[in-house]
């Protein structure tokens, strides 16, 4: 009896602790809002070619650094953006709105929820601005 009571107490404590410690997965818009460290890997097809994508976000010296690496075999391009912390709330909202509109597509391929270059508004307002973003590394051109 004593052993079974201890076992039940152990299971109850474990379950409560497990539930209390379980975290909901951080979405890209949530991470972007405060520049939490974030990374996402995936792939996307374009013109019958599948590209590998690596997206990361990290805070460095009062800037939020966004990197989007697109690779095909040994060929790759790396877009690096240094965003002002004051721009993050608006960018996060734009990305959340984008994710809400394309939630069915993002559910099928999660990488698009973090791929800022897919969001036309973010691309035009932030990514295309050379003071924010540059292709910092390129090994051959990526052409399918």
């Amino acid at each position: 009896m004593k052993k079974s009571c201890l076992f039940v107490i152990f299971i109850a404590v474990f379950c409560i602790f497990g539930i209390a410690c379980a975290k909901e997965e951080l979405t890209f818009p949530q991470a972007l809002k405060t520049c939490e460290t974030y990374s996402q890997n995936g792939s996307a097809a374009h013109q019958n070619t599948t590209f590998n994508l690596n997206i990361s976000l990290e805070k460095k010296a009062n800037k939020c650094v966004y990197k989007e690496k697109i690779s095909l075999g040994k060929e790759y391009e790396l877009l690096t953006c240094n965003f002002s912390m004051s721009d993050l709330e608006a960018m996060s909202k734009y990305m959340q709105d984008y994710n809400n509109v394309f939630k069915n597509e993002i559910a099928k391929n999660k990488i698009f929820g973090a791929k800022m270059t897919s969001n036309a508004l973010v691309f035009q307002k932030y990514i295309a601005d050379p003071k924010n973003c540059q292709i910092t590394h390129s090994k051959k051109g990526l052409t399918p």
Side-chain angles (χ1 to χ4, degrees), residues 56-73:
S56 66
L57 191 63
E58 66 180 314
K59 195 181 296 185
K60 284 188 179 176
N62 293 327
K63 293 282 185 180
C64 189
V65 180
Y66 171 83
K67 293 184 179 180
E68 184 174 304
K69 182 178 182 180
I70 302 171
S71 58
L72 178 63

Side-chain angles (χ1 to χ4, degrees), residues 8-137:
V8 169
I9 290 171
F10 173 76
I11 296 297
V13 169
F14 180 78
C15 290
I16 291 169
F17 184 76
I19 292 168
C21 293
K23 284 186 175 180
E24 188 176 313
E25 188 176 335
L26 188 67
T27 66
F28 181 77
Q30 290 168 332
L32 181 61
K33 190 172 187 176
T34 57
C35 197
E36 296 293 320
T37 300
Y38 182 92
S39 66
Q40 180 74 42
N41 297 315
S43 60
H46 178 70
Q47 297 181 352
N48 298 323
T49 302
T50 300
F51 294 92
N52 293 314
L53 301 166
N54 304 92
I55 293 172
S56 66
L57 191 63
E58 66 180 314
K59 195 181 296 185
K60 284 188 179 176
N62 293 327
K63 293 282 185 180
C64 189
V65 180
Y66 171 83
K67 293 184 179 180
E68 184 174 304
K69 182 178 182 180
I70 302 171
S71 58
L72 178 63
K74 292 184 179 187
E75 297 179 14
Y76 69 90
E77 290 185 354
L78 177 63
L79 173 72
T80 302
C81 302
N82 292 284
F83 296 117
S84 164
M85 300 301 275
S86 62
D87 290 332
L88 298 182
E89 190 163 337
M91 292 171 66
S92 173
K93 182 183 179 330
Y94 296 146
M95 287 303 294
Q96 185 61 57
D97 292 346
Y98 176 84
N99 285 357
N100 289 340
V101 170
F102 295 101
K103 64 183 168 193
N104 293 336
E105 291 81 359
I106 290 169
K108 293 175 192 170
N109 191 347
K110 198 172 164 187
I111 194 73
F112 289 111
K115 191 174 184 318
M116 291 176 58
T117 54
S118 295
N119 183 325
L121 182 60
V122 170
F123 185 85
Q124 291 172 355
K125 193 166 185 174
Y126 299 100
I127 304 288
D129 187 341
K131 78 175 174 109
N132 292 329
C133 301
Q134 305 83 37
I135 294 178
T136 56
H137 295 85

